[in-house]
Amino acid sequence: MLSIIPFIHQLFTDTIHEGDIVVDATLGNGHDSLVLSKLVGDNGKVFAFDIQQEAIDQAKQRFSENNRHNIYTFLKGHELATDILDEHTIDEIDGAIFNLGYLPGSDQQITTTETTTIQAIERLLDRLKSGGHIGIVIYPGHPEGRQEKEAVMDYLRNLSSKIADVAKYEMVNRSERAPFAVVIQKK
Amino acid sequence: MLSIIPFIHQLFTDTIHEGDIVVDATLGNGHDSLVLSKLVGDNGKVFAFDIQQEAIDQAKQRFSENNRHNIYTFLKGHELATDILDEHTIDEIDGAIFNLGYLPGSDQQITTTETTTIQAIERLLDRLKSGGHIGIVIYPGHPEGRQEKEAVMDYLRNLSSKIADVAKYEMVNRSERAPFAVVIQKK
């Protein structure tokens, strides 16, 4: 059975194609961008965002070691991702990934937060092509994460099914604080 | 994005092989058995259970039309499935499916119920090979279904993670009464 992050990666393996343009809304250690980079290939592009220079530096090192040259990193919050897409005259994206919470191994005081996370989802969903997916991994294991989970799930429960389908994939016989995945598919 | 029943069928497409022995715990109209029958092929076997003769008759007609000869139907509740396996000297199964609720298009008074459903899950899990899956579609849209959902989910939440992993796949921006899927993978 797929665990949470492999479930989201499988989604993108099944739906992202050579030449696609995708957004990694939470670059972090760069693992997700690396997966996306290989899926979109040399003709595709990954736009990746993080608010920590430490994350950008580490991730760039990883991309260099893996000889990936199609990932564009930005020291910006993901709520500003669509502004960056505008600057690159990109009207439509093929997919986006969010891996919420804090940078693994770093200062746990710096986390994604509900207001900007929901803004980012709304704005990227607006740019998502019809049939495209946004995958989100949510971590209710820390206090800010629980608050963010409640707010994001409340937003998603109320998202009109005319705009998108939303599915949740979670482990049942684990702590309520275990991470889980959400997939949004635009109509 | 996969909806609920296709999600379960995809699970079996990914994990069931030619020659496998599987159980359809809720034959119903026979759709699931037909899918399983094709996956296990002529060297495999599907053992299918239903408490309604009407379901068995309709399903057999469907199997005949589809030229499937590896599905063995039994007019028995699924809590007795392991007794039937014993009679056929089958110690181990490769997978099982439950599609709970009532027979589509029939008397909605006859539904699966929590006590026998949980008994059936427990007994079939005991026969499941290591790494094998049980897929369950749960329907909280009718009163007995809501009660069954609560009891089954309570049982699954408390299932030791040493015995099995349990995942839930559900639509988020739908009614709380919408069907959802659960997957159990034996350790």
Side-chain angles (χ1 to χ4, degrees):
Chain A
M1 179 189 302
L2 292 176
S3 55
I4 301 303
I5 290 177
F7 176 83
I8 291 291
H9 286 180
Q10 186 62 49
L11 168 80
F12 286 109
T13 301
D14 293 342
T15 61
I16 293 297
H17 305 97
E18 172 79 24
D20 281 356
I21 294 172
V22 295
V23 168
D24 182 350
T26 50
L27 174 64
N29 55 29
H31 277 299
D32 295 330
S33 278
L34 197 57
V35 169
L36 292 171
S37 164
K38 291 173 182 170
L39 291 170
V40 302
D42 291 342
N43 295 318
K45 285 178 183 168
V46 182
F47 285 80
F49 300 86
D50 209 290
I51 53 168
Q52 291 181 267
Q53 187 65 49
E54 182 191 353
I56 305 248
D57 293 344
Q58 281 178 17
K60 274 186 159 172
Q61 178 68 23
R62 185 184 302 273
F63 303 152
S64 175
E65 285 164 12
N66 283 274
N67 206 27
R68 304 310 307 172
H69 305 291
N70 58 354
I71 306 164
Y72 303 84
T73 61
F74 301 91
L75 184 64
K76 296 265 186 195
H78 45 206
E79 73 280 12
L80 302 174
T82 48
D83 294 351
I84 300 291
L85 294 175
D86 282 342
E87 287 174 18
H88 291 76
T89 62
I90 290 167
D91 293 332
E92 200 175 62
I93 60 170
D94 297 291
I97 192 165
F98 288 73
N99 212 325
L100 301 177
Y102 50 79
L103 182 65
S106 82
D107 182 356
Q108 300 188 8
Q109 298 304 308
I110 304 177
T111 73
T112 53
T113 53
E114 57 190 87
T115 308
T116 47
T117 295
I118 292 170
Q119 276 177 357
I121 296 169
E122 276 184 320
R123 290 171 184 177
L124 288 168
L125 182 56
D126 189 51
R127 297 297 178 96
L128 190 64
K129 73 168 182 186
S130 175
H133 298 82
I134 297 177
I136 309 174
V137 181
I138 299 178
Y139 297 81
H142 55 292
E144 301 84 351
R146 281 191 283 290
Q147 194 176 325
E148 187 179 36
K149 168 199 154 184
E150 294 300 335
V152 169
M153 292 309 293
D154 194 51
Y155 162 70
L156 293 175
R157 265 191 296 272
N158 290 296
L159 192 61
S160 166
S161 60
K162 290 178 184 167
I163 294 173
D165 288 322
V166 186
K168 180 184 182 190
Y169 181 76
E170 66 182 325
M171 294 296 148
V172 168
N173 58 345
R174 298 284 169 78
S175 158
E176 287 190 359
R177 298 184 177 188
F180 63 90
V182 168
V183 178
I184 306 171
Q185 183 176 29
K186 190 164 177 179
K187 286 286 175 79
Chain B
M1 178 189 301
L2 292 176
S3 55
I4 300 302
I5 290 176
F7 176 82
I8 291 290
H9 286 180
Q10 186 63 48
L11 167 80
F12 286 109
T13 301
D14 292 343
T15 60
I16 293 297
H17 306 98
E18 174 78 24
D20 280 356
I21 294 174
V22 295
V23 168
D24 181 350
T26 50
L27 175 64
N29 55 30
H31 277 299
D32 295 330
S33 277
L34 197 57
V35 169
L36 292 171
S37 164
K38 292 173 182 171
L39 291 170
V40 301
D42 291 343
N43 295 319
K45 286 179 183 170
V46 182
F47 285 81
F49 299 86
D50 208 290
I51 52 167
Q52 290 182 269
Q53 187 64 50
E54 182 190 352
I56 305 248
D57 293 344
Q58 280 178 19
K60 276 187 157 172
Q61 178 69 24
R62 185 185 302 273
F63 304 152
S64 174
E65 285 163 12
N66 283 273
N67 206 26
R68 305 308 308 170
H69 306 291
N70 59 354
I71 306 164
Y72 303 85
T73 61
F74 301 92
L75 184 64
K76 296 263 185 198
H78 45 207
E79 73 280 12
L80 303 174
T82 48
D83 294 348
I84 299 291
L85 294 175
D86 282 341
E87 287 174 20
H88 291 76
T89 62
I90 291 167
D91 294 333
E92 198 173 63
I93 59 170
D94 297 290
I97 191 166
F98 289 73
N99 211 325
L100 301 177
Y102 48 79
L103 182 65
S106 82
D107 182 355
Q108 301 187 6
Q109 298 304 309
I110 304 176
T111 73
T112 54
T113 54
E114 57 190 87
T115 308
T116 47
T117 295
I118 292 170
Q119 275 178 357
I121 296 169
E122 277 184 321
R123 291 172 184 177
L124 288 168
L125 182 56
D126 189 50
R127 297 299 178 95
L128 191 64
K129 72 168 185 187
S130 174
H133 297 82
I134 296 177
I136 309 174
V137 181
I138 299 178
Y139 297 81
H142 56 292
E144 300 85 351
R146 279 190 284 289
Q147 193 176 326
E148 187 180 36
K149 168 198 154 186
E150 294 301 335
V152 170
M153 291 310 293
D154 194 51
Y155 162 71
L156 292 175
R157 265 190 297 272
N158 291 297
L159 192 61
S160 165
S161 60
K162 290 179 185 166
I163 295 173
D165 288 322
V166 186
K168 180 183 182 191
Y169 181 76
E170 67 181 325
M171 295 296 149
V172 169
N173 58 344
R174 298 285 168 78
S175 159
E176 287 191 358
R177 299 185 177 187
F180 63 91
V182 168
V183 177
I184 305 170
Q185 183 176 27
K186 190 163 178 179
K187 286 286 175 77

